[in-house]
Amino acid sequence: MHRFKIALVLGAAALSLTAPATAQEKGGVIKVATIGEPPTLDPMTSTADLVGIITQHMYETLYTFDANWAATPLLAAELPEVSGDGLVYTIPLRQGITFHDGSDMTAEDVVASLERWMKIATRGKQTAERIAGIEAADDHTVRITLKEPYAPLVSLLSLNNSAAIVLPSEIAGEDEIKEPVGTGPYKMKERKPDQYIDLVRFDEYKSRDGEPNGYGGGRMQYADGIVFTPVPDPNTRVEGAVAGQYDYIDSIPVESHQRIVDGRTEPVMLAPFGWPVFVMNTKEGVNSDLKVRKAIQAALAPQDMLMAAFGTEDFFKAEGAMYPDSYVWHTEAGTDAYKPGGDTEAAKALLAESSYDGSPLRILTSRQYEFHYTMAQVAAEYLKAAGFDVQLDVVEWATLTQRRTDPALWDIYITHSPFLPEPSLTGIMSDSSPGWWVSDNKHKVLAAFNSEADPAKRAELWADVQQAVYDEVPAYKVGNFNAVGAQSPKLKGMRPAPWPYFWNAWLEK
């Protein structure tokens, strides 16, 4: 046996998730403004960042990510022991862990939870194809047996959306979670849809020992509670930030950065944060034809889209590589197809060769992330110039996350993603993720990438996966962008993070 480790060298641009050491104070309620109402509080069933931000306070996974984006134990006692052939993962569990309903966590709960995850979560379904079996070796040990080596396994068990959360076995046996019951530092007090989600300290919570380390290490419960308030209109979020109405405000339009500086809260910059993406419906409709998708790829002008959305290159970079050059995963493979200014004539030619019959190209977007909507408006003009009839369907974010699960309702939906520490966590890598990208070439290059354990060789193999993305266009990466939020000067103990968390944070009196 050898102790499993993940090498994730993300370079100087990686976010620092380590909180500063100052005197902590207990008490108070942290008030958080979110971009809207979450479509669910079951993080297994959603890849939405909003769902992960809220539910990570109530539910926990076996592993999480530390300040260097390496997997680290959370409910597991240690990183797994892996057999020499890479097929058997033995996971020791922490003991004395209590669920919010007062029951003790055992291996039976973990097995039932992972079985539910493989059944209903997009990343769980992705993983299930490689798993031969999951069993409880004893009350505090879980054994996962794979059909083939699968390097992303621990990273998939670490993420907070489409998440492998641990539930009591009786709840894990249900398709729908009626009441949130987890092991996290905060538990549900009250939810009033479209008004607030009120979490309170879980007094029986058992933190890991040690100093906070990214999402890992000690999770201290300084605040008595956390209230998440949906504020769908971005301008209202800005005004709330300027007035000091909230302790933390998520997703502020970048053009409001100076207003935040001049107001009663402080801007929070994550740089680089991630990438806006146009996801294509490859399953049915006009985008089931590869030549139509290639025409869209040629037509779009990312430089103009990003400039309209962010206003200045201080907040974006028009770059086609799926990871910036400071990341170990950076490669230029396939990026010849990425044209910052677009190529209307090439798009027209590709469209003429395709099956496109003039049907509306339905772009599903939301104004809760204002930059999504702005990019959609610019994209629509370039697509019309190439010969498309474009239909913008603008809905609430919660509605978008529901509609995108039905392939009959859209052709493109707009979202964004942080730069994830493991490329196989990216949504399009799962056959069952909305967009439903399935091809023999995808399976071939992903299988080679995911079965390789050596980090250096994996980095080389990632180039083949990125090439496949550009060749088959399941999605269109617009570029890199920085994200802006805001927080009160009274809120201490936080560092910028793609999914902000409020354990280890406190309010200065």
Side-chain angles (χ1 to χ4, degrees):
M1 294 274 192
H2 61 275
R3 188 65 59 192
F4 183 86
K5 292 183 179 180
I6 297 179
L8 292 172
V9 183
L10 300 187
L15 297 173
S16 173
L17 304 182
T18 306
T22 57
Q24 301 91 352
E25 298 181 24
K26 297 200 75 170
V29 175
I30 298 173
K31 296 175 290 184
V32 182
T34 66
I35 61 99
E37 179 72 11
T40 178
L41 290 180
D42 181 351
M44 282 195 189
T45 64
S46 177
T47 59
D49 287 345
L50 175 59
V51 175
I53 287 169
I54 296 171
T55 59
Q56 65 185 342
H57 297 84
M58 295 186 286
Y59 300 112
E60 294 180 311
T61 47
L62 291 171
Y63 300 99
T64 188
F65 295 110
D66 69 15
N68 294 315
W69 291 107
T72 190
L74 184 53
L75 290 176
E78 300 175 28
L79 289 170
E81 290 186 346
V82 183
S83 60
D85 59 7
L87 298 181
V88 181
Y89 286 57
T90 301
I91 302 173
L93 304 177
R94 293 170 62 202
Q95 300 185 30
I97 301 298
T98 304
F99 288 108
H100 296 161
D101 64 2
S103 61
D104 293 330
M105 183 193 78
T106 68
E108 178 186 358
D109 301 306
V110 175
V111 170
S113 298
L114 293 179
E115 288 175 343
R116 181 179 190 267
W117 179 63
M118 292 190 298
K119 177 182 176 184
I120 68 173
T122 56
R123 292 189 177 96
K125 293 175 184 178
Q126 172 185 349
T127 309
E129 299 171 0
R130 282 87 175 177
I131 291 181
I134 302 177
E135 60 182 336
D138 57 43
D139 283 348
H140 301 289
T141 309
V142 171
R143 184 177 296 122
I144 300 175
T145 303
L146 303 177
K147 299 174 183 176
E148 58 192 18
Y150 190 53
L153 177 61
V154 176
S155 289
L156 284 159
L157 295 174
S158 302
L159 200 62
N160 67 6
N161 61 64
S162 191
I165 56 171
V166 176
L167 303 161
S169 58
E170 59 271 19
I171 294 177
E174 302 294 330
D175 288 340
E176 181 181 354
I177 296 176
K178 297 179 177 62
E179 294 292 335
V181 177
T183 61
Y186 291 87
K187 64 181 181 179
M188 179 68 74
K189 177 182 178 183
E190 184 180 23
R191 180 187 188 186
K192 287 197 173 182
D194 297 315
Q195 294 186 49
Y196 59 80
I197 294 169
D198 189 355
L199 307 184
V200 295
R201 181 189 293 114
F202 176 42
D203 290 333
E204 285 73 44
Y205 180 69
K206 186 175 181 181
S207 171
R208 293 194 68 90
D209 294 333
E211 292 297 313
N213 185 1
Y215 293 90
R219 292 186 168 188
M220 302 297 104
Q221 304 160 284
Y222 298 120
D224 294 335
I226 311 165
V227 175
F228 295 94
T229 302
V231 186
D233 181 71
N235 292 323
T236 306
R237 289 200 299 280
V238 171
E239 294 307 317
V242 171
Q245 184 177 354
Y246 303 99
D247 300 305
Y248 190 91
I249 304 93
D250 192 29
S251 191
I252 298 292
V254 295
E255 63 269 20
S256 302
H257 184 269
Q258 189 58 46
R259 289 207 67 212
I260 303 301
V261 171
D262 296 337
R264 298 177 63 182
T265 55
E266 299 170 346
V268 178
M269 177 79 77
L270 293 88
F273 172 79
W275 44 297
V277 59
F278 284 34
V279 180
M280 312 288 180
N281 178 357
T282 68
K283 190 172 187 177
E284 62 181 73
V286 298
N287 274 336
S288 60
D289 182 344
L290 174 58
K291 285 190 176 179
V292 173
R293 302 198 302 273
K294 296 291 280 187
I296 294 170
Q297 182 184 61
L300 294 177
Q303 178 70 27
D304 285 356
M305 293 161 66
L306 291 162
M307 184 63 76
F310 299 108
T312 167
E313 292 188 355
D314 292 342
F315 294 104
F316 75 85
K317 184 177 181 180
E319 180 176 272
M322 293 180 71
Y323 282 86
D325 58 12
S326 56
Y327 287 67
V328 70
W329 305 114
H330 177 78
T331 172
E332 295 294 328
T335 59
D336 286 348
Y338 180 88
K339 306 294 184 184
D343 189 337
T344 300
E345 295 308 311
K348 286 180 178 179
L350 286 162
L351 200 59
E353 297 172 5
S354 75
S355 62
Y356 182 65
D357 60 2
S359 299
L361 179 70
R362 299 161 299 169
I363 301 178
L364 186 60
T365 189
S366 170
R367 297 199 69 165
Q368 282 153 276
Y369 293 107
E370 187 69 13
F371 69 98
H372 290 188
Y373 175 68
T374 303
M375 287 189 299
Q377 290 180 301
V378 177
E381 297 308 311
Y382 278 95
L383 291 166
K384 289 173 185 176
F388 286 97
D389 178 15
V390 180
Q391 174 181 315
L392 287 187
D393 294 332
V394 186
V395 298
E396 295 289 303
W397 183 248
T399 304
L400 184 149
T401 62
Q402 293 166 347
R403 284 196 187 180
R404 69 184 178 184
T405 63
D406 185 344
L409 298 180
W410 60 279
D411 301 303
I412 294 172
Y413 83 84
I414 301 176
T415 186
H416 66 269
S417 173
F419 294 112
L420 299 170
E422 160 58 53
S424 288
L425 299 175
T426 305
I428 57 172
M429 300 307 161
S430 170
D431 289 355
S432 62
S433 182
W436 304 282
W437 177 35
V438 177
S439 77
D440 290 342
N441 185 49
K442 170 191 177 178
H443 293 161
K444 176 185 175 182
V445 295
L446 262 184
F449 175 66
N450 288 331
S451 62
E452 177 56 63
D454 181 84
K457 292 180 180 177
R458 293 194 79 220
E460 294 174 5
L461 290 166
W462 169 245
D464 296 332
V465 181
Q466 181 173 292
Q467 183 71 55
V469 171
Y470 270 97
D471 289 345
E472 302 184 16
V473 204
Y476 181 88
K477 179 195 172 183
V478 184
N480 305 338
F481 79 104
N482 304 336
V484 178
Q487 74 178 63
S488 166
K490 297 187 300 181
L491 182 62
K492 305 296 183 182
M494 289 191 65
R495 284 295 182 112
W499 308 286
Y501 53 92
F502 302 97
W503 60 83
N504 297 334
W506 68 94
L507 293 167
E508 191 174 63
K509 295 184 177 61

